[in-house]
Amino acid sequence: MTAGAFSAFGAFGGADTPRYLPVAEHGLIGDLRSAALVGTNGTIDWYCCPRFDAPSVFASILDAERGGCFELAADVPTRTKQFYFPDTNVLITRFFADDGVGEIQDFMPIVGDSREADRHRLIRRVVCVRGSLPFRARVAPRFEYGAQPHTVHGQHLQHGQAVFESPSLSLALTSSVPIEVAGPDVWSLFKLHESESAVFALDQVGGDVAPRFCPLSEAEQQFNATVRFWRRWLSRSRYRGRWREMVHRSALTLKLLTYAPTGAIIAAPTTSLPEQIGGERNWDYRYVWIRDAAFCVYALLRLGFTDEAEAFMGFLSERVQLDATKAPGPTGPLQIMYGIDGRRELPERELPHLEGYRGSAPVRVGNDAVSQLQLDIYGALVDSLYLYDKWGQPISSAHWDSISELVDWVCDHWDQPDEGVWETRGGRKNFLYSRLMCWVAIERAMRLAQHRGLPADVVRWGRSRDAIYRRIMRNGWSAERHAFVQHEDSNVLDASLLMMPLAKFISPTDPKWLATLDALGEDLVSDSLVYRYDPQASPDGLRGEEGTFSICSFWYVEALTRAGRLDEARLAFEKMLTYANHLGLYAEEIGHTGEQCGNFPQAFTHLALISAAFDLDRALG
């Protein structure tokens, strides 16, 4: 078939193929520096190179025409199934046809600090396991979020090599089957018989990294090495409970979201996947939130992954020591989030040339929430340090000095309004959750000082801690709702209140808390799924609705568990597991009909799953 004939054929799948797969119809692969989403149709439709927060190379998940993709599939009608090679992050997509069965093995080799780490090799190994099958491939990168032109150099097409060059990035494609150039793309049509295989490898090249072929033998060796890496890593897990498969998949996902050079863990590998189709709640989550710190450290240490916890604490400690020495800005001494390399500037901008997932504009990169005041982050940070000091390594003297300064700042500023945990853009309020986590910051610091005999102004800290407690109990309780509420001077409920017993602020069987738990169940829970709050009752400055928030659903399981309502907790947990995708992955939210919404997969959700599984398993005995 000629290039012109292929161009006339157009996009794979014909007119009946949907332009966008459901978000949940994807798996994730990565090399601890970047990651790619692979659809159940065999298409890579999200990939940023050379790191998580770099501009996209493939972004057809945000614009089917302009975003770019790497299509690879059987060239006949098929049924497909997708799974992870057991106990790994190697993804298998299988194609079942009348004349045969084939599969694609997608993975990114894990390389240390050698020069090869800069290659960021992405390997797609195609195998015909039964009968015979024709396959087709189209590699269509679109650099800089589809805004930057590129050229294709294909001097070695018959030997399966082409180079895509743009002003900002060059990628080399090597293939074990012949390829041809069609405009800005490269394509291939080939047939495999039983036991035959083909390999496509995509590398970043430039500087000291030159294009390099990936023979079939090397692809098999890299496949086996990558499998060994993931299995060796997962074997360190100490979890032996009832939900081992889901907990371990969550752990493997968290590891994929780790940026190895700094130890940072990103919130999600994607940007602008909408909370509501057609809505504007589309954000860039490829950064590190301080808020996630305590949850990350808690989950990693409980699973036994001390190296990852230590690396993440190193990243956080460096941020704290750098920022605590500076004069506090209008949003306090710390930012709520940082870049994966620790950078502070994350300017938000829109990409109007991309239509957004299923038309959900705007597509945003960067995140202006970085400039918000969110007081809860100090509680999350100090709690993570307390946990790490307890189960990991003792805190250093220099680090304690920085933390003491932060706690002093919290004592002076805990009573001011802020944007809150949900990063609302509707103005600052006196959020209960922000007060709660300020209490946590001071209380955990006092525990740490007492346990280690560290110098601290415990009298002053104690006064502030007690003042926060009394303020919450007095102004955060609504006699009308017979529940704790989202913010002062309101009767609005908020799922973040579920953290009150989890943070040990209130007994999980306190009558006021049990009344709040019942109220949350009546107002915000739907078939075990939990909404963050009601945007109609508490405007957040944004249009549209949103789905249930998956982390809140797992918080609800923990709150029920600690209240002793184990039958309800177990049912809610088991129901929540049914909303995972076919691989056990979760987006940020669950929509009204059970679909995954928002950025995918989300670290926060998988952290909460691990915590809920631990607590519930222990309570069940």
Side-chain angles (χ1 to χ4, degrees), residues 100-319:
V101 179
E103 67 182 36
I104 303 171
Q105 302 166 354
D106 282 312
F107 61 98
M108 296 176 70
I110 309 298
V111 182
D113 295 328
S114 68
R115 185 180 302 169
E116 280 297 296
D118 295 331
R119 188 175 295 278
H120 302 285
R121 171 160 277 185
L122 194 162
I123 295 177
R124 313 202 71 187
R125 188 169 176 239
V126 190
V127 181
C128 182
V129 296
R130 296 182 66 185
S132 62
L133 278 178
F135 290 89
R136 60 186 188 264
R138 182 170 73 105
V139 187
R142 300 293 184 266
F143 296 90
E144 291 284 328
Y145 304 108
Q148 194 175 78
H150 70 272
T151 56
V152 184
H153 301 281
Q155 301 95 325
H156 307 288
L157 290 177
Q158 292 307 310
H159 298 289
Q161 185 179 89
V163 176
F164 303 93
E165 287 190 359
S166 78
S168 59
L169 183 68
S170 293
L171 296 176
L173 174 72
T174 61
S175 167
S176 63
V177 294
I179 56 178
E180 295 190 31
V181 173
D185 308 335
V186 168
W187 62 271
S188 179
L189 294 171
F190 58 98
K191 189 171 186 176
L192 297 177
H193 299 283
E194 190 165 322
S195 301
E196 291 182 340
S197 62
V199 171
F200 295 87
L202 193 66
D203 300 347
Q204 179 190 359
V205 293
D208 294 332
V209 182
R212 182 168 64 80
F213 282 97
C214 184
L216 298 179
S217 58
E218 182 178 341
E220 183 174 5
Q221 182 270 327
Q222 288 291 303
F223 174 89
N224 292 329
T226 306
V227 166
R228 284 195 302 272
F229 171 88
W230 288 115
R231 287 183 169 172
R232 188 167 55 246
W233 180 82
L234 189 62
S235 68
R236 291 160 44 202
S237 170
R238 292 198 299 253
Y239 182 76
R240 298 294 183 268
R242 291 168 173 81
W243 297 285
R244 188 174 176 183
E245 185 175 351
M246 290 300 294
V247 167
H248 281 175
R249 178 49 53 197
S250 292
L252 285 163
T253 303
L254 291 176
K255 182 65 172 176
L256 271 181
L257 301 181
T258 302
Y259 184 61
T262 63
I265 299 176
I266 58 171
T270 55
T271 181
S272 301
L273 294 182
E275 297 177 18
Q276 180 188 28
I277 300 301
E280 65 174 342
R281 299 168 185 265
N282 316 323
W283 314 111
D284 192 347
Y285 276 12
R286 298 171 296 160
Y287 307 113
V288 187
W289 266 254
I290 292 292
R291 176 175 303 111
D292 296 9
F295 298 97
C296 281
V297 171
Y298 180 75
L300 291 170
L301 288 176
R302 294 198 72 173
L303 289 172
F305 297 116
T306 53
D307 290 346
E308 286 72 19
E310 182 178 1
F312 189 38
M313 288 309 305
F315 175 86
L316 292 174
S317 299
E318 188 174 344
R319 306 286 77 70

Side-chain angles (χ1 to χ4, degrees), residues 378-571:
Y378 297 97
L381 175 65
V382 179
D383 197 26
S384 68
L385 291 165
Y386 168 77
L387 293 169
Y388 188 68
D389 181 86
K390 182 178 179 180
W391 291 334
Q393 296 293 325
I395 189 172
S396 69
S397 56
H399 201 184
W400 175 249
D401 290 340
S402 300
I403 293 300
S404 296
E405 292 178 19
L406 291 181
V407 176
D408 287 338
W409 185 89
V410 171
C411 289
D412 290 335
H413 295 87
W414 65 264
D415 61 345
Q416 59 182 307
D418 70 347
E419 275 87 3
V421 60
W422 305 130
E423 300 177 358
T424 60
R425 303 196 178 192
R428 294 180 177 180
K429 297 182 177 67
N430 292 305
F431 288 105
L432 186 151
Y433 184 78
S434 299
R435 302 279 187 272
L436 167 69
M437 296 308 289
C438 285
W439 178 89
V440 168
I442 301 170
E443 197 274 339
R444 300 300 192 270
M446 292 178 67
R447 280 199 205 189
L448 194 52
Q450 182 177 11
H451 172 67
R452 294 282 311 283
L454 296 168
D457 191 350
V458 292
V459 175
R460 180 191 178 213
W461 289 5
R463 283 198 300 266
S464 295
R465 178 198 61 184
D466 295 347
I468 298 172
Y469 179 89
R470 296 190 182 97
R471 175 80 167 262
I472 289 175
M473 300 304 286
R474 182 179 65 248
N475 294 1
W477 173 261
S478 168
E480 181 180 339
R481 290 303 308 269
H482 201 54
F484 290 103
V485 290
Q486 183 185 61
H487 58 85
E488 296 179 6
D489 305 316
S490 79
N491 287 316
V492 177
L493 296 178
D494 191 304
S496 65
L497 304 175
L498 291 163
M499 281 297 296
M500 295 180 75
L502 308 189
K504 304 186 185 304
F505 175 86
I506 194 169
S507 164
T509 56
D510 186 288
K512 282 190 171 182
W513 169 248
L514 292 177
T516 302
L517 185 58
D518 288 338
L520 290 168
E522 293 171 6
D523 277 33
L524 297 182
V525 178
S526 172
D527 189 41
S528 82
L529 301 175
V530 182
Y531 292 93
R532 292 190 293 183
Y533 53 88
D534 181 356
Q536 304 303 317
S538 180
D540 54 15
L542 297 166
R543 297 186 301 274
E545 300 177 351
E546 62 178 16
T548 56
F549 218 64
S550 295
I551 186 174
C552 299
S553 301
F554 287 119
W555 285 351
Y556 184 58
V557 170
E558 278 204 69
L560 289 171
T561 300
R562 298 193 186 199
R565 293 158 60 172
L566 297 185
D567 287 345
E568 293 177 66
R570 185 166 189 176
L571 181 60

